Amino acid sequence: MQPEVILLMGPPGAGKGTQASALAERRDLRKLSTGDMLRANVSEGTDLGMRAKALMDAGELVPDDLIVAMVRSELDSMRPVRVLLDGFPRTPGQAEALDGLLAEYGAEMTAAVLLDVPNDMLVERLLKRAAEEGRTDDTEETIRHRMSVYEKSTRPLIDFYAERGVMHRVSGVGAVAEVTSRIEEVLD
Ligand code: ADP
């Protein structure tokens, strides 16, 4: 099998996690969600989890070096590298570190997909999720902060990948299955 690296990007609430699970299964990729990995560390009470928890609850980013080390250990055992990235990279520093890791492992970014959803719909979705799942970073104030962190730290990555010709934009509005088909259309 060939290496394949697909990145799902988008603001909090755009539906990255849901789409990442569906696509990973259909394309035989491993879903790598740094948010899920961090939450697992928090609930297991690891050293990393203890360092990350307060930052996550405040809607701040966990430092790049901790995130990159976590991703490296996940990719280390994977040959060929076949991953669906959800929530990573999230800063220019992480994107550069990812380039280095992929080069080391004989892979490169295959495609990046940006899920586009209007802002008012994002807040609405996240508040609904807060009521259903009780994620401790889904309060209205933290949601707004996570959105501003996205604008400042993560949005610049759209141009970074667009300049390489691997960026695709897809509307994230509509039924889950509809959005999955739209993503598959741009990938094939
Ligand atoms: P969302 O996309 O809804 O904000 P995630 O589950 O991807 O949710 O992330 C939750 C939190 O975990 C973030 O607010 C941040 O604190 C931390 N986090 C996840 N991924 C990263 C990353 N790549 N770099 C830094 N922090 C991260």
Side-chain angles (χ1 to χ4, degrees), residues 129-159:
R129 182 173 79 186
E132 288 164 359
E133 294 175 19
R135 239 175 74 170
T136 50
D137 61 347
D138 274 347
T139 64
E140 183 152 7
E141 191 193 342
T142 308
I143 288 169
R144 295 210 182 273
H145 188 61
R146 276 157 57 208
M147 290 174 117
S148 75
V149 169
Y150 172 81
E151 291 300 326
K152 185 163 150 265
S153 304
T154 310
R155 191 179 276 287
L157 298 187
I158 298 173
D159 286 343

Side-chain angles (χ1 to χ4, degrees), residues 28-41:
D28 200 15
L29 300 170
R30 187 172 330 155
K31 172 177 156 176
L32 193 160
S33 159
T34 46
D36 287 351
M37 290 160 82
L38 289 168
R39 279 185 288 277
N41 273 277

